[in-house]
Amino acid sequence: MDSPQTRKTGLNLPSGMSETSLRLDTLRGITSLSSSSPSKSSTCSDRFIPCRSSSRLHTFGLIEKASPVKEGGGNEAYSRLLKSELFGSDFGSFSPAGGNQVASSPMSPSKNMLRFKTDHSGPSSPYSPSILGHDSGLSSESSTPPKPPRKVPKTPHKVLDAPSLQDDFYLNLVDWSSQNVLAVGLGTCVYLWSASNSKVTKLCDLGPNDGVCSVQWTREGSYISIGTNYGQVQVWDGTQCKKVRTMSGHQTRTGVLAWNSRILASGSRDRNILQHDLRVSNDFISKLVGHKSEVCGLKWSNDDRELASGGNDNQLLVWNQHSQQPALKLTEHTAAVKAIAWSPHQSGLLASGGGTADRCIRFWNTTNGHQLNNIDTGSQVCNLAWSKNVNEIVSTHGYSQNQIMVWKYPSMAKVATLTGHSMRVLYLAMSPDGQTIVTGAGDETLRFWNVFPSMKAPTPVKDIGLWSLGRTQIR
């Protein structure tokens, strides 16, 4: 038979527990919610309403900073009243309309409702930001101290006088061999300067009616090719100072030469590119026709598979071994393209520079012909050379600043800007160790600069060169 308690409430209560100990004051809970002022009774309710004043809402960025009240404070008064009605009177009182005082409570709802903030009030943890924070260098990359920029000496460590060094943008009269010998074309003569002992040797004299237009060492550094004003290409033994061969084929001056492992390419004012092979008796083995004006830039890729050529027709052409037609025609430059350089760090990456009307260095992916980047240097780009020690590139310039610039790739951040030549820096060559460059200009000087670190130890280069400071004459 049911007990009176069970009949009355419908609940099976343990012995010793009365109905009054488990009474749910539902009506009072509802009344307290709808009342104009919250009830202060401690009677249990059927709803859980958290007390926001005891919550750590500052952890979630809910503290609102005081801000000056705008003119016509009606909106501000309404906002405070609305907050009080929505969040309760324990969130702070408000001042009368038009007052300059904001909510007195330190906590009021913010627009950034769930923006998490670190709570520093709790006990210290071994993994807390105070221990592994910004001062430890472990929380983020930004806490790592920035690497100081590499210092490049601003002055050349050696200067050579080079009388009769021509001020002609389309010629290529300076080259540095892998055996550390510098070749320079001065007027009708070619001189060799040994960087190891500063010895100067006169290699040849083409005679009063001819002139040197280009010089280029083989990769082994034993033989040197010379392009002449008459369009010939001569090959000399640099050690014995003897002419090995003379090859014809061009109708006028040969202003640029480029060796790969076995083929010599020559470019001329006659707009043609000839390929010569010393192992055959013919003067040339192929003719590449594509430029509409003088060819002034030629460079083989490091794997010998592609040949890049630049001309006075503002074109940059890329040739391969499978066709006598250019594989790529790149026409974005708006001036003559003499400066060409292949990256030794990435296959198919080609850099080119334009003349006075263009002033840009452009980077190309020769696999698909896409332009990767371009930067306006502000002056005529005469030469480009990629460092083999670090991923940087050096450019020399003419009108109007005659500067030498070192860039970091691919960001193209300037590493250094070097000045000293009083005329266009038309000639550029790099030492075999990749640390020193030599520049030449129409001011008839050759200047040696330490710009790149060594390959083994990338430490800042020193201002003291391999040779004594001072100015000497190359002939």
Side-chain angles (χ1 to χ4, degrees):
M1 186 173 182
D2 294 339
S3 63
Q5 288 180 339
T6 306
R7 288 194 303 270
K8 200 170 193 177
T9 63
L11 297 175
N12 292 323
L13 300 177
S15 59
M17 179 177 291
S18 64
E19 178 186 354
T20 57
S21 62
L22 194 64
R23 183 169 59 87
L24 301 178
D25 194 357
T26 304
L27 182 59
R28 183 171 296 177
I30 295 175
T31 303
S32 65
L33 285 175
S34 60
S35 176
S36 59
S37 61
S39 174
K40 298 183 180 180
S41 173
S42 61
T43 305
C44 297
S45 174
D46 64 338
R47 300 197 181 192
F48 174 71
I49 301 177
C51 180
R52 293 185 175 89
S53 61
S54 63
S55 302
R56 295 185 298 166
L57 297 182
H58 62 282
T59 300
F60 299 96
L62 298 178
I63 298 177
E64 184 177 3
K65 297 182 180 180
S67 59
V69 179
K70 298 180 180 179
E71 294 182 1
N75 291 336
E76 186 68 22
Y78 171 76
S79 176
R80 290 196 295 270
L81 178 61
L82 181 61
K83 291 176 185 178
S84 178
E85 290 296 325
L86 291 177
F87 296 101
S89 58
D90 57 343
F91 260 72
S93 60
F94 58 92
S95 61
N100 294 330
Q101 188 176 359
V102 295
S104 60
S105 173
M107 292 177 291
S108 60
S110 170
K111 296 178 181 178
N112 303 320
M113 285 296 295
L114 295 177
R115 184 181 64 184
F116 183 76
K117 292 183 179 181
T118 303
D119 183 12
H120 299 284
S121 61
S124 177
S125 165
Y127 303 103
S128 65
S130 61
I131 297 177
L132 296 177
H134 293 287
D135 54 348
S136 66
L138 299 176
S139 62
S140 64
E141 295 180 359
S142 61
S143 61
T144 305
K147 186 177 180 181
R150 180 166 55 83
K151 293 183 179 180
V152 177
K154 298 293 186 180
T155 57
H157 60 76
K158 190 172 187 65
V159 179
L160 292 178
D161 282 324
S164 302
L165 186 61
Q166 296 189 57
D167 181 32
D168 192 327
F169 178 80
Y170 301 99
L171 304 186
N172 295 269
L173 298 175
V174 177
D175 194 33
W176 204 331
S177 78
S178 58
Q179 297 188 12
N180 212 18
V181 177
L182 187 70
V184 185
L186 301 177
T188 62
C189 302
V190 175
Y191 291 88
L192 306 180
W193 181 81
S194 174
S196 57
N197 55 21
S198 298
K199 180 182 178 181
V200 178
T201 303
K202 183 177 179 180
L203 177 67
C204 66
D205 188 341
L206 301 181
N209 298 322
D210 208 345
V212 179
C213 297
S214 56
V215 295
Q216 180 75 40
W217 288 98
T218 59
R219 291 184 177 176
E220 296 76 17
S222 301
Y223 294 90
I224 183 173
S225 55
I226 302 172
T228 73
N229 195 48
Y230 282 161
Q232 292 183 335
V233 177
Q234 300 182 6
V235 179
W236 288 70
D237 185 330
T239 305
Q240 304 294 328
C241 294
K242 291 183 179 180
K243 183 163 63 175
V244 175
R245 188 168 175 182
T246 300
M247 294 171 286
S248 302
H250 288 298
Q251 303 301 316
T252 182
R253 71 178 186 184
T254 306
V256 61
L257 300 165
W259 283 95
N260 68 9
S261 299
R262 58 186 180 86
I263 302 297
L264 171 63
S266 59
S268 172
R269 183 182 273 178
D270 64 10
R271 302 172 293 180
N272 297 326
I273 300 171
L274 300 181
Q275 297 193 20
H276 313 269
D277 192 338
L278 298 184
R279 299 170 297 180
V280 300
S281 58
N282 295 336
D283 284 338
F284 58 93
I285 58 174
S286 67
K287 177 187 292 187
L288 305 179
V289 180
H291 285 285
K292 301 176 182 179
S293 188
E294 181 171 9
V295 181
C296 51
L298 274 180
K299 286 291 171 64
W300 286 98
S301 62
N302 299 292
D303 58 7
D304 293 348
R305 294 182 179 181
E306 294 178 303
L307 175 66
S309 64
N312 197 32
D313 55 0
N314 308 344
Q315 288 192 102
L316 175 65
L317 305 182
V318 179
W319 314 77
N320 57 37
Q321 299 174 341
H322 307 294
S323 174
Q324 291 190 349
Q325 297 298 320
L328 289 176
K329 288 186 177 182
L330 307 173
T331 59
E332 278 75 3
H333 284 291
T334 57
V337 183
K338 176 190 178 186
I340 301 173
W342 292 90
S343 170
H345 309 287
Q346 183 177 341
S347 178
L349 176 56
L350 177 65
S352 60
T356 306
D358 184 76
R359 305 183 306 272
C360 289
I361 299 175
R362 303 177 188 270
F363 296 90
W364 313 88
N365 181 349
T366 60
T367 304
N368 52 28
H370 292 168
Q371 182 176 238
L372 303 176
N373 191 13
N374 73 87
I375 183 169
D376 190 339
T377 66
S379 56
Q380 178 187 45
V381 184
C382 301
N383 293 279
L384 289 171
W386 221 299
S387 170
K388 62 182 181 180
N389 300 345
V390 291
N391 200 10
E392 295 177 0
I393 192 169
V394 59
S395 58
T396 70
H397 300 269
Y399 302 124
S400 59
Q401 301 177 40
N402 305 327
Q403 79 273 36
I404 302 156
M405 304 185 74
V406 182
W407 311 82
K408 186 178 292 294
Y409 188 83
S411 66
M412 291 308 286
K414 293 180 184 178
V415 178
T417 300
L418 310 175
T419 57
H421 285 288
S422 59
M423 298 182 69
R424 297 183 295 175
V425 189
L426 298 177
Y427 311 109
L428 171 68
M430 189 176 297
S431 64
D433 62 7
Q435 298 184 61
T436 304
I437 61 170
V438 59
T439 57
D443 57 11
E444 299 186 345
T445 63
L446 295 173
R447 297 171 185 265
F448 295 81
W449 315 78
N450 283 336
V451 295
F452 296 121
S454 63
M455 186 176 295
K456 294 182 180 179
T459 55
V461 292
K462 297 181 179 180
D463 206 358
I464 301 176
L466 297 175
W467 313 284
S468 60
L469 295 174
R471 187 163 179 153
T472 56
Q473 193 165 328
I474 199 169
R475 69 174 186 182

